Amino acid sequence: MKKSSLAVALPALVLTGLLLSGCGIFRSEKAWQTAKQESPLEIPPGMDTPNASAALVIPPTGSNQPTANGATARIGNNAGTITDGFILADTVDNTYRRVGEALSNGEIGTLKNHDDAAHSYSLSVMASDQPAEKQGFLSRMFGRSNSGSGGPNVAPRQVVVTVNSSGQGSAEVRAQGEAAAVAKVVDSLKSRLGGKG
């Protein structure tokens, strides 16, 4: 009995080994060994290469102009200004009222003043001069709660929150100021008001 099972098992084991090794044992040379360098691409007659002379130009000091979304770069110790926001499916007046209610309790920051005509709020937010890294899933689930104001150079930062129309039946909430403070305000308002974007 033992000899017949060994007679079946041994050839099955050899066949399995050959199948698992693949066809590599039948090839004498690899395809990558015969690869050759192709000639570089040639530009057809009548066409020019794009001008790349301004691709890596370093702007002069002090030329830090805001981009279309309001962001400016950080030069030295001066913090850059950014603008961020989200959309709410509500009227501008209702959204302005709801944002005011969320800001009035003082948990996000200290409300300095508001302009009802311009639908804007000015507040002072305790935040770092650098945005905090967002925690991972496991850290959020099992780690300590992070208020978002930790990090180097925590100080009051000015943020202006405005509410504008964003099409029919929706309003855009925008915050402008230093990056960490804006991130804290936008994240807090979005979670309390249920915004998207």
Side-chain angles (χ1 to χ4, degrees):
M1 244 7 215
K2 286 187 175 184
K3 287 187 179 184
S4 66
S5 64
L6 184 60
V8 172
L10 190 58
L13 186 63
V14 170
L15 182 62
T16 303
L18 286 174
L19 289 174
L20 290 176
S21 67
C23 300
I25 59 174
F26 301 113
R27 275 184 274 180
S28 61
E29 64 182 50
K30 309 289 184 224
W32 60 267
Q33 291 175 328
T34 60
K36 294 181 182 168
Q37 177 71 31
E38 294 289 329
S39 62
L41 288 175
E42 294 181 17
I43 299 172
M47 297 187 82
D48 293 333
T49 59
N51 184 6
S53 62
L56 299 174
V57 174
I58 299 172
T61 304
S63 65
N64 189 21
Q65 299 299 320
T67 61
N69 68 351
T72 58
R74 181 182 201 122
I75 298 176
N77 291 329
N78 299 328
T81 302
I82 68 163
T83 301
D84 193 9
F86 57 94
I87 308 271
L88 283 175
D90 204 350
T91 65
V92 173
D93 292 328
N94 260 358
T95 302
Y96 178 69
R97 181 188 52 77
R98 290 174 59 197
V99 167
E101 289 171 358
L103 294 176
S104 66
N105 65 12
E107 291 178 12
I108 299 172
T110 306
L111 189 60
K112 295 295 184 185
N113 60 29
H114 60 91
D115 183 358
D116 294 335
H119 293 114
S120 68
Y121 295 98
S122 178
L123 61 149
S124 177
V125 179
M126 291 299 291
S128 168
D129 62 350
Q130 298 173 359
E133 290 185 21
K134 296 208 177 197
Q135 294 179 331
F137 174 74
L138 292 175
S139 297
R140 288 193 313 257
M141 293 298 292
F142 302 111
R144 289 185 290 130
S145 175
N146 193 359
S147 63
S149 61
N153 303 326
V154 175
R157 312 283 177 192
Q158 298 302 314
V159 176
V160 176
V161 178
T162 57
V163 179
N164 297 311
S165 176
S166 179
Q168 272 188 329
S170 62
E172 176 185 41
V173 178
R174 282 245 171 248
Q176 182 174 4
E178 292 184 29
V182 167
K184 181 179 179 182
V185 170
V186 168
D187 289 346
S188 298
L189 286 175
K190 196 185 298 185
S191 68
R192 291 172 192 208
L193 303 176
K196 60 182 177 180

PDB file of all heavy atoms in Angstrom, residues 149-192:
ATOM      1  N   SER A 149      -5.615  73.137  17.738  1.00  0.00           N
ATOM      2  CA  SER A 149      -4.884  74.364  17.988  1.00  0.00           C
ATOM      3  C   SER A 149      -3.455  74.086  18.411  1.00  0.00           C
ATOM      4  O   SER A 149      -2.717  74.995  18.721  1.00  0.00           O
ATOM      5  CB  SER A 149      -5.592  75.195  19.061  1.00  0.00           C
ATOM      6  OG  SER A 149      -5.652  74.457  20.258  1.00  0.00           O
ATOM      7  N   GLY A 150      -3.067  72.795  18.460  1.00  0.00           N
ATOM      8  CA  GLY A 150      -1.708  72.455  18.860  1.00  0.00           C
ATOM      9  C   GLY A 150      -0.724  72.785  17.751  1.00  0.00           C
ATOM     10  O   GLY A 150      -1.081  73.104  16.645  1.00  0.00           O
ATOM     11  N   GLY A 151       0.558  72.702  18.101  1.00  0.00           N
ATOM     12  CA  GLY A 151       1.586  72.969  17.116  1.00  0.00           C
ATOM     13  C   GLY A 151       2.418  74.150  17.541  1.00  0.00           C
ATOM     14  O   GLY A 151       2.198  74.754  18.584  1.00  0.00           O
ATOM     15  N   PRO A 152       3.418  74.486  16.742  1.00  0.00           N
ATOM     16  CA  PRO A 152       4.301  75.582  17.112  1.00  0.00           C
ATOM     17  C   PRO A 152       3.635  76.944  16.962  1.00  0.00           C
ATOM     18  O   PRO A 152       2.764  77.135  16.125  1.00  0.00           O
ATOM     19  CB  PRO A 152       5.459  75.430  16.120  1.00  0.00           C
ATOM     20  CG  PRO A 152       4.875  74.721  14.953  1.00  0.00           C
ATOM     21  CD  PRO A 152       3.787  73.840  15.503  1.00  0.00           C
ATOM     22  N   ASN A 153       4.051  77.872  17.815  1.00  0.00           N
ATOM     23  CA  ASN A 153       3.617  79.274  17.733  1.00  0.00           C
ATOM     24  C   ASN A 153       2.102  79.443  17.778  1.00  0.00           C
ATOM     25  O   ASN A 153       1.517  80.107  16.918  1.00  0.00           O
ATOM     26  CB  ASN A 153       4.189  79.945  16.476  1.00  0.00           C
ATOM     27  CG  ASN A 153       5.703  79.868  16.436  1.00  0.00           C
ATOM     28  OD1 ASN A 153       6.362  79.918  17.463  1.00  0.00           O
ATOM     29  ND2 ASN A 153       6.248  79.729  15.242  1.00  0.00           N
ATOM     30  N   VAL A 154       1.449  78.861  18.770  1.00  0.00           N
ATOM     31  CA  VAL A 154       0.008  79.025  18.925  1.00  0.00           C
ATOM     32  C   VAL A 154      -0.260  80.437  19.423  1.00  0.00           C
ATOM     33  O   VAL A 154       0.297  80.872  20.427  1.00  0.00           O
ATOM     34  CB  VAL A 154      -0.570  77.979  19.901  1.00  0.00           C
ATOM     35  CG1 VAL A 154      -2.044  78.235  20.148  1.00  0.00           C
ATOM     36  CG2 VAL A 154      -0.366  76.587  19.357  1.00  0.00           C
ATOM     37  N   ALA A 155      -1.091  81.145  18.691  1.00  0.00           N
ATOM     38  CA  ALA A 155      -1.415  82.538  19.022  1.00  0.00           C
ATOM     39  C   ALA A 155      -2.745  82.876  18.379  1.00  0.00           C
ATOM     40  O   ALA A 155      -3.251  82.137  17.531  1.00  0.00           O
ATOM     41  CB  ALA A 155      -0.318  83.469  18.504  1.00  0.00           C
ATOM     42  N   PRO A 156      -3.353  84.009  18.775  1.00  0.00           N
ATOM     43  CA  PRO A 156      -4.601  84.405  18.117  1.00  0.00           C
ATOM     44  C   PRO A 156      -4.350  84.775  16.657  1.00  0.00           C
ATOM     45  O   PRO A 156      -3.427  85.529  16.357  1.00  0.00           O
ATOM     46  CB  PRO A 156      -5.074  85.624  18.911  1.00  0.00           C
ATOM     47  CG  PRO A 156      -4.154  85.784  20.058  1.00  0.00           C
ATOM     48  CD  PRO A 156      -2.996  84.890  19.862  1.00  0.00           C
ATOM     49  N   ARG A 157      -5.127  84.225  15.770  1.00  0.00           N
ATOM     50  CA  ARG A 157      -5.021  84.489  14.329  1.00  0.00           C
ATOM     51  C   ARG A 157      -6.349  85.061  13.851  1.00  0.00           C
ATOM     52  O   ARG A 157      -7.406  84.573  14.221  1.00  0.00           O
ATOM     53  CB  ARG A 157      -4.714  83.214  13.554  1.00  0.00           C
ATOM     54  CG  ARG A 157      -3.588  82.385  14.108  1.00  0.00           C
ATOM     55  CD  ARG A 157      -2.250  82.950  13.792  1.00  0.00           C
ATOM     56  NE  ARG A 157      -1.223  82.118  14.420  1.00  0.00           N
ATOM     57  CZ  ARG A 157       0.024  82.465  14.516  1.00  0.00           C
ATOM     58  NH1 ARG A 157       0.423  83.615  14.033  1.00  0.00           N
ATOM     59  NH2 ARG A 157       0.890  81.678  15.094  1.00  0.00           N
ATOM     60  N   GLN A 158      -6.289  86.079  13.011  1.00  0.00           N
ATOM     61  CA  GLN A 158      -7.493  86.734  12.493  1.00  0.00           C
ATOM     62  C   GLN A 158      -8.038  85.959  11.296  1.00  0.00           C
ATOM     63  O   GLN A 158      -7.289  85.612  10.386  1.00  0.00           O
ATOM     64  CB  GLN A 158      -7.193  88.173  12.085  1.00  0.00           C
ATOM     65  CG  GLN A 158      -6.736  89.058  13.228  1.00  0.00           C
ATOM     66  CD  GLN A 158      -7.752  89.130  14.352  1.00  0.00           C
ATOM     67  OE1 GLN A 158      -8.934  89.299  14.118  1.00  0.00           O
ATOM     68  NE2 GLN A 158      -7.278  88.967  15.578  1.00  0.00           N
ATOM     69  N   VAL A 159      -9.342  85.703  11.322  1.00  0.00           N
ATOM     70  CA  VAL A 159     -10.016  85.030  10.221  1.00  0.00           C
ATOM     71  C   VAL A 159     -11.281  85.814   9.900  1.00  0.00           C
ATOM     72  O   VAL A 159     -12.008  86.237  10.800  1.00  0.00           O
ATOM     73  CB  VAL A 159     -10.382  83.571  10.587  1.00  0.00           C
ATOM     74  CG1 VAL A 159     -11.166  82.907   9.464  1.00  0.00           C
ATOM     75  CG2 VAL A 159      -9.144  82.766  10.906  1.00  0.00           C
ATOM     76  N   VAL A 160     -11.532  86.018   8.611  1.00  0.00           N
ATOM     77  CA  VAL A 160     -12.752  86.683   8.158  1.00  0.00           C
ATOM     78  C   VAL A 160     -13.609  85.627   7.459  1.00  0.00           C
ATOM     79  O   VAL A 160     -13.154  84.959   6.534  1.00  0.00           O
ATOM     80  CB  VAL A 160     -12.432  87.845   7.190  1.00  0.00           C
ATOM     81  CG1 VAL A 160     -13.718  88.453   6.650  1.00  0.00           C
ATOM     82  CG2 VAL A 160     -11.581  88.895   7.883  1.00  0.00           C
ATOM     83  N   VAL A 161     -14.837  85.465   7.943  1.00  0.00           N
ATOM     84  CA  VAL A 161     -15.787  84.506   7.371  1.00  0.00           C
ATOM     85  C   VAL A 161     -16.856  85.285   6.638  1.00  0.00           C
ATOM     86  O   VAL A 161     -17.484  86.184   7.211  1.00  0.00           O
ATOM     87  CB  VAL A 161     -16.419  83.622   8.474  1.00  0.00           C
ATOM     88  CG1 VAL A 161     -17.435  82.662   7.872  1.00  0.00           C
ATOM     89  CG2 VAL A 161     -15.357  82.869   9.237  1.00  0.00           C
ATOM     90  N   THR A 162     -17.058  84.973   5.363  1.00  0.00           N
ATOM     91  CA  THR A 162     -18.090  85.649   4.568  1.00  0.00           C
ATOM     92  C   THR A 162     -19.052  84.608   4.017  1.00  0.00           C
ATOM     93  O   THR A 162     -18.686  83.464   3.775  1.00  0.00           O
ATOM     94  CB  THR A 162     -17.477  86.434   3.394  1.00  0.00           C
ATOM     95  OG1 THR A 162     -16.704  85.547   2.589  1.00  0.00           O
ATOM     96  CG2 THR A 162     -16.604  87.568   3.883  1.00  0.00           C
ATOM     97  N   VAL A 163     -20.299  85.050   3.815  1.00  0.00           N
ATOM     98  CA  VAL A 163     -21.338  84.201   3.239  1.00  0.00           C
ATOM     99  C   VAL A 163     -21.831  84.884   1.976  1.00  0.00           C
ATOM    100  O   VAL A 163     -22.263  86.034   2.015  1.00  0.00           O
ATOM    101  CB  VAL A 163     -22.500  83.987   4.233  1.00  0.00           C
ATOM    102  CG1 VAL A 163     -23.581  83.123   3.613  1.00  0.00           C
ATOM    103  CG2 VAL A 163     -21.993  83.371   5.527  1.00  0.00           C
ATOM    104  N   ASN A 164     -21.739  84.174   0.844  1.00  0.00           N
ATOM    105  CA  ASN A 164     -22.171  84.712  -0.452  1.00  0.00           C
ATOM    106  C   ASN A 164     -23.089  83.720  -1.137  1.00  0.00           C
ATOM    107  O   ASN A 164     -23.125  82.543  -0.794  1.00  0.00           O
ATOM    108  CB  ASN A 164     -20.951  84.968  -1.349  1.00  0.00           C
ATOM    109  CG  ASN A 164     -20.022  86.002  -0.771  1.00  0.00           C
ATOM    110  OD1 ASN A 164     -20.448  87.068  -0.360  1.00  0.00           O
ATOM    111  ND2 ASN A 164     -18.742  85.676  -0.721  1.00  0.00           N
ATOM    112  N   SER A 165     -23.785  84.206  -2.142  1.00  0.00           N
ATOM    113  CA  SER A 165     -24.660  83.345  -2.921  1.00  0.00           C
ATOM    114  C   SER A 165     -23.823  82.415  -3.792  1.00  0.00           C
ATOM    115  O   SER A 165     -22.781  82.804  -4.319  1.00  0.00           O
ATOM    116  CB  SER A 165     -25.576  84.194  -3.797  1.00  0.00           C
ATOM    117  OG  SER A 165     -26.354  83.352  -4.617  1.00  0.00           O
ATOM    118  N   SER A 166     -24.303  81.185  -3.937  1.00  0.00           N
ATOM    119  CA  SER A 166     -23.606  80.214  -4.780  1.00  0.00           C
ATOM    120  C   SER A 166     -24.615  79.508  -5.672  1.00  0.00           C
ATOM    121  O   SER A 166     -24.766  78.304  -5.645  1.00  0.00           O
ATOM    122  CB  SER A 166     -22.874  79.201  -3.907  1.00  0.00           C
ATOM    123  OG  SER A 166     -22.230  78.251  -4.715  1.00  0.00           O
ATOM    124  N   GLY A 167     -25.318  80.284  -6.452  1.00  0.00           N
ATOM    125  CA  GLY A 167     -26.346  79.721  -7.319  1.00  0.00           C
ATOM    126  C   GLY A 167     -27.693  79.722  -6.637  1.00  0.00           C
ATOM    127  O   GLY A 167     -27.872  80.290  -5.565  1.00  0.00           O
ATOM    128  N   GLN A 168     -28.654  79.078  -7.266  1.00  0.00           N
ATOM    129  CA  GLN A 168     -30.013  79.059  -6.723  1.00  0.00           C
ATOM    130  C   GLN A 168     -30.114  78.130  -5.521  1.00  0.00           C
ATOM    131  O   GLN A 168     -29.740  76.972  -5.583  1.00  0.00           O
ATOM    132  CB  GLN A 168     -30.994  78.588  -7.790  1.00  0.00           C
ATOM    133  CG  GLN A 168     -31.511  79.697  -8.644  1.00  0.00           C
ATOM    134  CD  GLN A 168     -32.617  79.190  -9.548  1.00  0.00           C
ATOM    135  OE1 GLN A 168     -32.618  78.048  -9.955  1.00  0.00           O
ATOM    136  NE2 GLN A 168     -33.553  80.058  -9.863  1.00  0.00           N
ATOM    137  N   GLY A 169     -30.606  78.676  -4.428  1.00  0.00           N
ATOM    138  CA  GLY A 169     -30.893  77.877  -3.245  1.00  0.00           C
ATOM    139  C   GLY A 169     -29.676  77.385  -2.491  1.00  0.00           C
ATOM    140  O   GLY A 169     -29.781  76.452  -1.706  1.00  0.00           O
ATOM    141  N   SER A 170     -28.507  77.966  -2.721  1.00  0.00           N
ATOM    142  CA  SER A 170     -27.326  77.551  -1.973  1.00  0.00           C
ATOM    143  C   SER A 170     -26.462  78.759  -1.652  1.00  0.00           C
ATOM    144  O   SER A 170     -26.514  79.781  -2.330  1.00  0.00           O
ATOM    145  CB  SER A 170     -26.517  76.505  -2.744  1.00  0.00           C
ATOM    146  OG  SER A 170     -26.059  77.044  -3.957  1.00  0.00           O
ATOM    147  N   ALA A 171     -25.689  78.624  -0.592  1.00  0.00           N
ATOM    148  CA  ALA A 171     -24.823  79.713  -0.150  1.00  0.00           C
ATOM    149  C   ALA A 171     -23.422  79.171   0.073  1.00  0.00           C
ATOM    150  O   ALA A 171     -23.232  78.025   0.465  1.00  0.00           O
ATOM    151  CB  ALA A 171     -25.357  80.317   1.143  1.00  0.00           C
ATOM    152  N   GLU A 172     -22.427  80.023  -0.189  1.00  0.00           N
ATOM    153  CA  GLU A 172     -21.032  79.658  -0.022  1.00  0.00           C
ATOM    154  C   GLU A 172     -20.489  80.325   1.235  1.00  0.00           C
ATOM    155  O   GLU A 172     -20.618  81.535   1.404  1.00  0.00           O
ATOM    156  CB  GLU A 172     -20.241  80.112  -1.246  1.00  0.00           C
ATOM    157  CG  GLU A 172     -18.769  79.865  -1.149  1.00  0.00           C
ATOM    158  CD  GLU A 172     -18.022  80.438  -2.336  1.00  0.00           C
ATOM    159  OE1 GLU A 172     -18.349  81.555  -2.774  1.00  0.00           O
ATOM    160  OE2 GLU A 172     -17.102  79.764  -2.800  1.00  0.00           O
ATOM    161  N   VAL A 173     -19.893  79.536   2.112  1.00  0.00           N
ATOM    162  CA  VAL A 173     -19.259  80.052   3.321  1.00  0.00           C
ATOM    163  C   VAL A 173     -17.758  80.030   3.065  1.00  0.00           C
ATOM    164  O   VAL A 173     -17.187  78.985   2.770  1.00  0.00           O
ATOM    165  CB  VAL A 173     -19.605  79.185   4.550  1.00  0.00           C
ATOM    166  CG1 VAL A 173     -18.904  79.710   5.789  1.00  0.00           C
ATOM    167  CG2 VAL A 173     -21.104  79.139   4.765  1.00  0.00           C
ATOM    168  N   ARG A 174     -17.109  81.198   3.153  1.00  0.00           N
ATOM    169  CA  ARG A 174     -15.675  81.317   2.887  1.00  0.00           C
ATOM    170  C   ARG A 174     -14.969  81.883   4.101  1.00  0.00           C
ATOM    171  O   ARG A 174     -15.454  82.823   4.731  1.00  0.00           O
ATOM    172  CB  ARG A 174     -15.418  82.260   1.717  1.00  0.00           C
ATOM    173  CG  ARG A 174     -15.677  81.627   0.406  1.00  0.00           C
ATOM    174  CD  ARG A 174     -14.377  81.539  -0.363  1.00  0.00           C
ATOM    175  NE  ARG A 174     -14.484  80.771  -1.549  1.00  0.00           N
ATOM    176  CZ  ARG A 174     -13.891  79.601  -1.725  1.00  0.00           C
ATOM    177  NH1 ARG A 174     -13.196  79.078  -0.765  1.00  0.00           N
ATOM    178  NH2 ARG A 174     -13.982  78.966  -2.847  1.00  0.00           N
ATOM    179  N   ALA A 175     -13.794  81.319   4.421  1.00  0.00           N
ATOM    180  CA  ALA A 175     -12.958  81.833   5.504  1.00  0.00           C
ATOM    181  C   ALA A 175     -11.616  82.230   4.910  1.00  0.00           C
ATOM    182  O   ALA A 175     -11.056  81.504   4.079  1.00  0.00           O
ATOM    183  CB  ALA A 175     -12.763  80.776   6.579  1.00  0.00           C
ATOM    184  N   GLN A 176     -11.089  83.387   5.337  1.00  0.00           N
ATOM    185  CA  GLN A 176      -9.814  83.866   4.822  1.00  0.00           C
ATOM    186  C   GLN A 176      -8.932  84.258   5.999  1.00  0.00           C
ATOM    187  O   GLN A 176      -9.372  84.928   6.934  1.00  0.00           O
ATOM    188  CB  GLN A 176     -10.003  85.063   3.897  1.00  0.00           C
ATOM    189  CG  GLN A 176      -8.704  85.553   3.300  1.00  0.00           C
ATOM    190  CD  GLN A 176      -8.913  86.642   2.262  1.00  0.00           C
ATOM    191  OE1 GLN A 176     -10.032  87.086   2.046  1.00  0.00           O
ATOM    192  NE2 GLN A 176      -7.849  87.052   1.631  1.00  0.00           N
ATOM    193  N   GLY A 177      -7.686  83.816   5.955  1.00  0.00           N
ATOM    194  CA  GLY A 177      -6.723  84.112   7.006  1.00  0.00           C
ATOM    195  C   GLY A 177      -5.540  83.185   6.884  1.00  0.00           C
ATOM    196  O   GLY A 177      -5.274  82.640   5.810  1.00  0.00           O
ATOM    197  N   GLU A 178      -4.808  82.975   7.990  1.00  0.00           N
ATOM    198  CA  GLU A 178      -3.668  82.079   7.969  1.00  0.00           C
ATOM    199  C   GLU A 178      -4.150  80.633   7.898  1.00  0.00           C
ATOM    200  O   GLU A 178      -5.224  80.294   8.392  1.00  0.00           O
ATOM    201  CB  GLU A 178      -2.798  82.310   9.195  1.00  0.00           C
ATOM    202  CG  GLU A 178      -2.114  83.667   9.161  1.00  0.00           C
ATOM    203  CD  GLU A 178      -1.168  83.864  10.321  1.00  0.00           C
ATOM    204  OE1 GLU A 178      -0.615  82.871  10.832  1.00  0.00           O
ATOM    205  OE2 GLU A 178      -0.979  85.024  10.715  1.00  0.00           O
ATOM    206  N   ALA A 179      -3.343  79.775   7.300  1.00  0.00           N
ATOM    207  CA  ALA A 179      -3.761  78.420   6.933  1.00  0.00           C
ATOM    208  C   ALA A 179      -4.330  77.603   8.087  1.00  0.00           C
ATOM    209  O   ALA A 179      -5.405  77.011   7.963  1.00  0.00           O
ATOM    210  CB  ALA A 179      -2.587  77.682   6.291  1.00  0.00           C
ATOM    211  N   ALA A 180      -3.636  77.540   9.216  1.00  0.00           N
ATOM    212  CA  ALA A 180      -4.101  76.695  10.318  1.00  0.00           C
ATOM    213  C   ALA A 180      -5.416  77.206  10.895  1.00  0.00           C
ATOM    214  O   ALA A 180      -6.309  76.424  11.224  1.00  0.00           O
ATOM    215  CB  ALA A 180      -3.040  76.623  11.411  1.00  0.00           C
ATOM    216  N   ALA A 181      -5.545  78.533  11.018  1.00  0.00           N
ATOM    217  CA  ALA A 181      -6.768  79.110  11.566  1.00  0.00           C
ATOM    218  C   ALA A 181      -7.939  78.894  10.614  1.00  0.00           C
ATOM    219  O   ALA A 181      -9.048  78.560  11.041  1.00  0.00           O
ATOM    220  CB  ALA A 181      -6.564  80.599  11.841  1.00  0.00           C
ATOM    221  N   VAL A 182      -7.705  79.063   9.324  1.00  0.00           N
ATOM    222  CA  VAL A 182      -8.765  78.852   8.332  1.00  0.00           C
ATOM    223  C   VAL A 182      -9.201  77.391   8.334  1.00  0.00           C
ATOM    224  O   VAL A 182     -10.393  77.086   8.303  1.00  0.00           O
ATOM    225  CB  VAL A 182      -8.296  79.291   6.926  1.00  0.00           C
ATOM    226  CG1 VAL A 182      -9.240  78.799   5.845  1.00  0.00           C
ATOM    227  CG2 VAL A 182      -8.175  80.802   6.869  1.00  0.00           C
ATOM    228  N   ALA A 183      -8.246  76.475   8.405  1.00  0.00           N
ATOM    229  CA  ALA A 183      -8.584  75.051   8.429  1.00  0.00           C
ATOM    230  C   ALA A 183      -9.432  74.722   9.654  1.00  0.00           C
ATOM    231  O   ALA A 183     -10.415  73.973   9.559  1.00  0.00           O
ATOM    232  CB  ALA A 183      -7.310  74.208   8.422  1.00  0.00           C
ATOM    233  N   LYS A 184      -9.079  75.285  10.801  1.00  0.00           N
ATOM    234  CA  LYS A 184      -9.839  75.029  12.031  1.00  0.00           C
ATOM    235  C   LYS A 184     -11.263  75.569  11.907  1.00  0.00           C
ATOM    236  O   LYS A 184     -12.230  74.883  12.249  1.00  0.00           O
ATOM    237  CB  LYS A 184      -9.126  75.679  13.211  1.00  0.00           C
ATOM    238  CG  LYS A 184      -9.817  75.457  14.531  1.00  0.00           C
ATOM    239  CD  LYS A 184      -9.045  76.101  15.674  1.00  0.00           C
ATOM    240  CE  LYS A 184      -9.763  75.903  16.993  1.00  0.00           C
ATOM    241  NZ  LYS A 184      -9.060  76.546  18.101  1.00  0.00           N
ATOM    242  N   VAL A 185     -11.412  76.789  11.396  1.00  0.00           N
ATOM    243  CA  VAL A 185     -12.736  77.403  11.268  1.00  0.00           C
ATOM    244  C   VAL A 185     -13.593  76.642  10.263  1.00  0.00           C
ATOM    245  O   VAL A 185     -14.750  76.311  10.535  1.00  0.00           O
ATOM    246  CB  VAL A 185     -12.603  78.894  10.883  1.00  0.00           C
ATOM    247  CG1 VAL A 185     -13.948  79.482  10.497  1.00  0.00           C
ATOM    248  CG2 VAL A 185     -11.982  79.684  12.011  1.00  0.00           C
ATOM    249  N   VAL A 186     -13.033  76.343   9.092  1.00  0.00           N
ATOM    250  CA  VAL A 186     -13.811  75.660   8.045  1.00  0.00           C
ATOM    251  C   VAL A 186     -14.217  74.267   8.497  1.00  0.00           C
ATOM    252  O   VAL A 186     -15.373  73.868   8.332  1.00  0.00           O
ATOM    253  CB  VAL A 186     -13.015  75.621   6.719  1.00  0.00           C
ATOM    254  CG1 VAL A 186     -13.662  74.685   5.716  1.00  0.00           C
ATOM    255  CG2 VAL A 186     -12.914  77.011   6.130  1.00  0.00           C
ATOM    256  N   ASP A 187     -13.284  73.513   9.091  1.00  0.00           N
ATOM    257  CA  ASP A 187     -13.624  72.162   9.556  1.00  0.00           C
ATOM    258  C   ASP A 187     -14.708  72.203  10.634  1.00  0.00           C
ATOM    259  O   ASP A 187     -15.631  71.397  10.624  1.00  0.00           O
ATOM    260  CB  ASP A 187     -12.387  71.444  10.081  1.00  0.00           C
ATOM    261  CG  ASP A 187     -11.416  71.060   8.972  1.00  0.00           C
ATOM    262  OD1 ASP A 187     -11.814  71.105   7.793  1.00  0.00           O
ATOM    263  OD2 ASP A 187     -10.258  70.725   9.294  1.00  0.00           O
ATOM    264  N   SER A 188     -14.586  73.145  11.569  1.00  0.00           N
ATOM    265  CA  SER A 188     -15.581  73.241  12.645  1.00  0.00           C
ATOM    266  C   SER A 188     -16.951  73.632  12.108  1.00  0.00           C
ATOM    267  O   SER A 188     -17.966  73.040  12.476  1.00  0.00           O
ATOM    268  CB  SER A 188     -15.128  74.256  13.684  1.00  0.00           C
ATOM    269  OG  SER A 188     -13.925  73.861  14.274  1.00  0.00           O
ATOM    270  N   LEU A 189     -16.990  74.646  11.256  1.00  0.00           N
ATOM    271  CA  LEU A 189     -18.269  75.083  10.702  1.00  0.00           C
ATOM    272  C   LEU A 189     -18.895  74.003   9.816  1.00  0.00           C
ATOM    273  O   LEU A 189     -20.108  73.782   9.862  1.00  0.00           O
ATOM    274  CB  LEU A 189     -18.095  76.385   9.906  1.00  0.00           C
ATOM    275  CG  LEU A 189     -17.875  77.658  10.714  1.00  0.00           C
ATOM    276  CD1 LEU A 189     -17.601  78.836   9.785  1.00  0.00           C
ATOM    277  CD2 LEU A 189     -19.069  77.950  11.601  1.00  0.00           C
ATOM    278  N   LYS A 190     -18.074  73.349   9.029  1.00  0.00           N
ATOM    279  CA  LYS A 190     -18.599  72.306   8.138  1.00  0.00           C
ATOM    280  C   LYS A 190     -19.209  71.170   8.940  1.00  0.00           C
ATOM    281  O   LYS A 190     -20.271  70.658   8.600  1.00  0.00           O
ATOM    282  CB  LYS A 190     -17.474  71.767   7.245  1.00  0.00           C
ATOM    283  CG  LYS A 190     -17.979  70.985   6.052  1.00  0.00           C
ATOM    284  CD  LYS A 190     -16.865  70.355   5.241  1.00  0.00           C
ATOM    285  CE  LYS A 190     -15.919  71.335   4.648  1.00  0.00           C
ATOM    286  NZ  LYS A 190     -14.919  70.686   3.769  1.00  0.00           N
ATOM    287  N   SER A 191     -18.563  70.789  10.042  1.00  0.00           N
ATOM    288  CA  SER A 191     -19.118  69.691  10.852  1.00  0.00           C
ATOM    289  C   SER A 191     -20.384  70.117  11.579  1.00  0.00           C
ATOM    290  O   SER A 191     -21.286  69.318  11.769  1.00  0.00           O
ATOM    291  CB  SER A 191     -18.071  69.181  11.845  1.00  0.00           C
ATOM    292  OG  SER A 191     -17.792  70.149  12.814  1.00  0.00           O
ATOM    293  N   ARG A 192     -20.478  71.380  11.979  1.00  0.00           N
ATOM    294  CA  ARG A 192     -21.666  71.830  12.696  1.00  0.00           C
ATOM    295  C   ARG A 192     -22.844  72.146  11.770  1.00  0.00           C
ATOM    296  O   ARG A 192     -23.987  71.955  12.134  1.00  0.00           O
ATOM    297  CB  ARG A 192     -21.337  73.084  13.499  1.00  0.00           C
ATOM    298  CG  ARG A 192     -20.410  72.783  14.635  1.00  0.00           C
ATOM    299  CD  ARG A 192     -19.935  74.028  15.305  1.00  0.00           C
ATOM    300  NE  ARG A 192     -18.831  73.675  16.187  1.00  0.00           N
ATOM    301  CZ  ARG A 192     -18.518  74.320  17.264  1.00  0.00           C
ATOM    302  NH1 ARG A 192     -19.189  75.388  17.614  1.00  0.00           N
ATOM    303  NH2 ARG A 192     -17.500  73.939  18.003  1.00  0.00           N
TER     304      ARG A 192
END
